[in-house]
Amino acid sequence: MRPAATVGELRFHVLGPLEVLRNGVPLPLGGIKQRTVLGYLLLHPNRVTATSRLISALWDGPSPASARKMVQNAVWRLRKLLHLDEEHAEPEDMSLQSRPPGYLLRVDPQAVDLYRFHELVAQGRARMRDGGVAEASRLWRQALALWRGPLLADLAEAGVAWPELKVSADTRLDVLEEYFDAELALGRHSAVLPELLTLRRAEPRRERLTGQLMLSLHRSGRQSDALDVYRAHRAELADQLGLDPSRELQELHQAILTHDTALHYTPLPGTVQARPAPRQPSAAAGAASPAPDAVEESAGLVPERKEVSVALINAVCPAVPGGGDPEQVDAAMEALHEVVVAEANRFDGIVAAKLGCCWLVVFGAGRSHDNDAMRAVLTVLAVRHRIRARNAHPLHLRAAVDTGEALVRYGRDGAGPPTVTSAALDRPQSLLPLVPLDEVWVSEGTRGQTDNLIGYQRARVHAAMWTVQGVRCATVRGPRLPLLGRADCVRALTDLLDTDAVERRVALVVGGPGMGKSAVLEEFERQTAGRDPATRPLLAHLLPCTVDDSALRVVAAELSSCCGIGSWDPPGTARAKLWAMVERAAADADEARRLFERLLVPLGQVTHQEQAAGPEEVVAAWCTLLERLAAERTVVVVIDDLHAADESVLGLVGPLLGQEGPARLKVVAAARPELFLRRPAWESAVHVTAELTRLPDTVVAELTRTVLEADGVRDRPPGPVAELVEVVTALADGNPMFAAELARMALRRVGPDPAAADAAPDERPEAAHAMLPSAVGRALAAQLDALPADLKAVAQDAAVLGEAVRPEDVAALRDQRPSDAGDVADALGELVRRGVLMAAPADAANTGSFTFRQPLLREVAYARLPQARRAAKHAAVARWEGRSRAPGGSLRPVASELLRLGSVVQRLRDAARTGAGPEPGAGLTEGTPLYPAGAGR
């Protein structure tokens, strides 16, 4: 009996030219008659197709007398080619059977791309009906990606004109329109705009497509273009059919004319509603007015205070006098637009507007990251790098980047792009004309958040701005701190060096922001460098992503060390040393020449006659050389921030997780847990995972004392410094970066006004959240934004309520009866499981209550609410309870004590200068705990 697996490996592709693959290898399908019979049977699988229908499919008109014999011959050849004979087939096998009055092709629908397409489309529509807009869009995109051209394109080109071909083409267009609706509802108008423009030219009469193009152009800041599309569509309908556009399209045209703000978040008329319908206010007694959430949902947008970074990019064509031909300029700008959108998506930015030759890209308006300023600068550098590499148009870029607080409004469930109001949007616009060509300026705020990775110098024209020099080859770090509590992690990495086993080649240091991943890598490198030279491995470094020529500088340094090339070596000597290593390590002469040509580039030894390679090609050549060198000695590639790496860098790591590549090539990398969102299979495949969890309080306290001692502040128990350490330890929540930043902040804040520290929260001139170290605030904001939208809203409501959070109080804020707080209790329980909340200390007043496990996260969650929204929420709780709460509950003592600790530090310094000892406990309230038991632990 023939094994079923022989046929089960067949795959049939009809979405495009007809193609049959066995084990991924195309099969020769023979002449047109044979291909036509197979194509028709694939359109009608698992049911009998009469021979007469096959004859009609083969001949459009009178058929020859031998037509039936020709069909039989075609079927016989197909059986022989595909091994689809019926004599030895099991009932479940693929087979081509003779069944009166014709033939039956038995095939698994999953093996035919057309039926896989229909299955994905149905799944997407089901997800859309359930409100899963993003998931529906992903499924539809996956379905559309199966198309390689028109259905059975090779047969259609030969004259086949079956009705099924036209129906399938229309079905694909319908799915495309549904996909565009979903993308527009998610605010991705810029991403789909190029495809909409192309498709609209091919299908000018599809009104739904026309409306989607108009809306996408409008949201991209191209209102005049959107109106031109409508006018052209209306004129075509009137001239050719004597019709007017549909009512929905006319209403969209009118909304664009009047600049209706609803177009920024409302789906097209007649499409699936991506946002849930506004809830009706509760009719419960005592509810004098709708709760704040109900009012915001009826308006469609939710406001939030956030820190954003803004990049304004301007393209200039200096070589074209008078601006050049508009069509040529438009073609260049369209090509550049694709680059800007691609790089913005790569770094999770939003292209908020495009006006002429300018693009406004916003970071942090959607989901906040702790490094949004860095993402903004890297995006601009990446766009400039790609434009320089193309050399297709004489384009030059200039850009300005700024960072600041903003009021962001976004649709619930992610429907529609967010709107941003901030001075950070205006400053780049005013500065851009001053920026010289090919320069990138950033503000002081942006530089302060990025100068550990980006090199800067003062701008020549504007002293308050900084010019980007490029990505640093090595990260600049602050004062070196002892690596405490991470000895086991370092040991796990160094153990990797003592084996050549294939199953121990990749080690990851995994942890959240500030948990000390880079410090663990540094200690690993220090211990590795201290090994005996005879057994010491070759250490090599890779930058995670390429946005400029910094990757070349890194490879140059590594290559010079590896080849023994000194700065004093003349060019001929440097080339000879490089060639000696490449020739010895390469697999063959062709590879040696190829590697040599590419690796000459970072050494600066390329002559005018030699073809220069780009940074990506150089990095690829360097990786290949490292693989070859691993046959001689152990090679360890060190990569920081692997979660943000380019696909090419991830491509180096992936094969090592299997059985590919030399055993002595190893990778030691640091990454955040989001790496496993990009590569889910890696979570279980990584050979060694050193997970950095929260440090014990004793270790955090020791780290804090080290920071204070580095500034000359010595611990004198039982003085105030011991209490400062206690407070910082509680607030740090086991995060070493939090502890160091909080301690340094206390040292910087010297001599505050004691009256200001004791003032009511709303009477102090400085907002409490502004007292947080910038890095700590950004990390906590990113943690908050990582929550699902519904849980994030519950967490912010909990931040309003104060020390003890009860489900019935949260229900009052969400326009529900306190007696019907079951759903809220479930949400609070989920926040406990995610480590955001914990059970409040048990007493008679707080039974069944919750509190924030990390007090500073509560501060950030509360500060993100606009002031009017805070007041409305406090009023809503007061109506339900019959009493009022102070804004923020007992939250503000956190900031007050931090201010006081700064005063203590100042008195300690004054005492050190005068030789007098500090008063024990000066400036602190004795015996009063700052936080509930267990908070911050």
Side-chain angles (χ1 to χ4, degrees), residues 472-474 541-543 549-559:
R472 298 183 187 272
C473 296
H541 299 80
L542 285 181
L543 292 181
D549 291 338
S550 55
L552 297 181
R553 299 195 298 273
V554 172
V555 174
E558 303 279 344
L559 195 59

Side-chain angles (χ1 to χ4, degrees), residues 43 55 68 72 87 114 145 260 287 308 359 407 413 417 427 466 469 509 535 594 634 647 792 798 806 850 854 860 868:
L43 295 183
I55 293 174
R68 189 171 295 271
Q72 291 174 351
E87 181 179 353
L114 175 62
D260 189 345
V308 300
W359 289 263
L407 185 66
D413 296 331
R427 287 191 291 266
W466 295 82
Q469 293 181 302
V509 184
T535 60
R594 186 170 61 255
T634 299
E647 291 297 322
K792 174 183 170 183
R806 300 176 300 175
F850 303 89
Q854 165 57 277
V860 171

Side-chain angles (χ1 to χ4, degrees), residues 31-161:
I32 186 64
K33 295 293 188 293
Q34 192 169 306
R35 299 172 68 90
T36 305
V37 168
L38 178 59
Y40 196 83
L41 291 173
L42 285 171
L43 295 183
H44 307 86
N46 301 318
R47 57 184 175 183
V48 177
T49 301
T51 305
S52 59
R53 294 183 60 186
L54 287 172
I55 293 174
S56 299
L58 284 168
W59 288 276
D60 185 13
S63 59
S66 59
R68 189 171 295 271
K69 183 63 176 178
M70 295 172 70
V71 170
Q72 291 174 351
N73 289 337
V75 171
W76 179 80
R77 293 190 189 95
L78 287 172
R79 283 183 182 144
K80 184 177 179 181
L81 172 68
L82 305 178
H83 305 297
L84 296 180
D85 56 294
E86 55 182 320
E87 181 179 353
H88 301 295
E90 297 292 338
E92 68 275 8
D93 279 356
M94 294 185 186
S95 60
L96 181 51
Q97 306 174 12
S98 297
R99 291 285 184 87
Y103 302 94
L104 181 146
L105 175 62
R106 188 179 299 281
V107 62
D108 181 4
Q110 291 294 321
V112 185
D113 57 358
L114 175 62
Y115 303 100
R116 176 61 179 156
F117 166 77
H118 286 301
E119 181 183 32
L120 289 169
V121 169
Q123 292 176 6
R125 287 169 177 163
R127 294 298 299 128
M128 180 62 87
R129 286 193 296 270
D130 294 338
V133 184
E135 179 65 11
S137 176
R138 185 189 67 80
L139 289 168
W140 288 332
R141 183 73 269 176
Q142 188 177 347
L144 292 166
L146 297 174
W147 287 76
R148 300 168 292 113
L151 182 70
L152 297 173
D154 53 336
L155 303 185
E157 187 68 22
V160 171

